[in-house]
Amino acid sequence: MARSTAQRVADALRTRIEGGGLPPGTQLSEEALGRDLGVSRNTLREAFRLLIHESLVVHVLNRGVFVRVLEPADVTDIYRVRAALETAGVRAAADAARPLRDAVGRAVAEGERAAAGHDWREVGSADLRFHRALAALAGSARIDTAMDRLLAELRLAFHAMPSPRRFHEPFLARNRALAALLDAGAYDRAEAELTSYLDDARTLILDVMRETSR
C-alpha cells in the first residue's frame, strides 16, 4: 500500500527528532515546515496527528504543536519496552540472517568512528542504530516498526543528559562487547549483559532528570 504524503512527512519529522535536529520543547511551525518540506498546512496537521499518536509531539491549546518533553515515568516505560524488544532479538540471534547480524557490528563501528571524530551526537545516532539492529535480529517487521517509534522517543530522553560524551562514551565498549558475545554464540551471556546495560542507561537518565527537577 502506498504511503500518504502525511505519512511521509511524519517519517521525515520523526527522523529529525531521532537525529536530534528537533529537541524536546521545540515548537513545530506550520509555516516554516510547510515551506521546508513543500507541503500544505493540512498535510502537516495530519502528520502532526500521527506523531501525537506516537507520543513524539503534543498539541498545547492556543499555543501550537511542540516536540514532547519526557517525564521520568516515560523513560521508565520506554526502557521496559526496549528490554522486551531487544532481548527478543538477542534470543533469535542464532537463526538470524547474516545481513541482520552484520548490521550489529556495522553500527558498533560507526559509533567508534564518530567518537574518534568527537561527533557525539552522531555517536548517539549510531547507538540507536545498534539497538535497532539488536531488535531486528528477531526478523519481525512489527518489532522493527515498534523500535523505530520507540527509538525516536528515546532520543528525546537523551536530551536530558548535559554531556552527550559523558553519557555515550562508556557504552561504546559495551556495544563492542555485546556484539562480540553474539559473534561468539554466547547468547545467554549477551542477554544478561544487555539487561544490565539497559538498567544502567535508564538509571543514568533518571538520576539526571530527577536532579535537574529539584
Side-chain angles (χ1 to χ4, degrees):
M1 181 182 297
R3 298 177 66 77
S4 70
T5 302
Q7 288 172 318
R8 291 194 294 272
V9 170
D11 288 346
L13 293 175
R14 189 186 307 107
T15 298
R16 292 187 187 187
I17 291 170
E18 182 179 330
L22 292 172
T26 301
Q27 184 169 10
L28 301 181
S29 165
E30 290 182 2
E31 181 178 357
L33 287 172
R35 184 170 56 249
D36 184 29
L37 297 171
V39 296
S40 70
R41 289 196 175 195
N42 284 340
T43 296
L44 268 175
R45 288 168 185 165
E46 180 58 30
F48 289 163
R49 282 192 285 271
L50 293 172
L51 294 176
I52 288 170
H53 180 69
E54 296 176 18
S55 300
L56 292 178
V57 305
V58 294
H59 179 261
V60 180
L61 189 63
N62 297 324
R63 292 188 59 204
V65 176
F66 295 80
V67 179
R68 189 163 168 240
V69 177
L70 299 185
E71 300 292 334
D74 298 314
V75 174
T76 298
D77 198 37
I78 287 169
Y79 272 84
R80 183 181 297 118
V81 179
R82 282 189 70 185
L85 298 180
E86 293 183 40
T87 55
V90 169
R91 290 170 185 169
D95 298 318
R98 174 49 57 183
L100 295 178
R101 294 176 66 100
D102 289 345
V104 174
R106 186 163 59 249
V108 172
E110 288 167 353
E112 291 168 344
R113 283 196 298 272
H118 305 288
D119 186 350
W120 296 101
R121 194 169 89 167
E122 174 55 25
V123 171
S125 295
D127 183 67
L128 295 181
R129 291 193 292 273
F130 170 72
H131 289 282
R132 181 186 281 112
L134 287 181
L137 294 171
S140 166
R142 289 175 175 82
I143 286 180
D144 292 345
T145 298
M147 282 295 290
D148 284 342
R149 294 178 178 178
L150 191 71
L151 293 181
E153 198 174 356
L154 182 63
R155 173 64 86 169
L156 302 181
F158 284 177
H159 280 279
M161 308 307 290
S163 170
R165 177 174 183 171
R166 287 182 62 188
F167 177 57
H168 291 299
E169 191 169 33
F171 289 100
L172 288 167
R174 295 183 74 170
N175 288 354
R176 174 61 67 185
L178 255 172
L181 288 171
L182 292 175
D183 285 342
Y187 303 116
D188 288 344
R189 288 175 58 196
E191 183 177 346
E193 169 57 22
L194 175 61
T195 299
S196 173
Y197 177 121
L198 294 178
D199 286 345
D200 291 345
R202 183 194 66 238
T203 299
L204 283 172
I205 294 172
L206 290 176
D207 285 349
V208 169
M209 292 179 78
R210 288 165 179 153
E211 183 65 28
T212 56
S213 68
R214 291 178 182 175

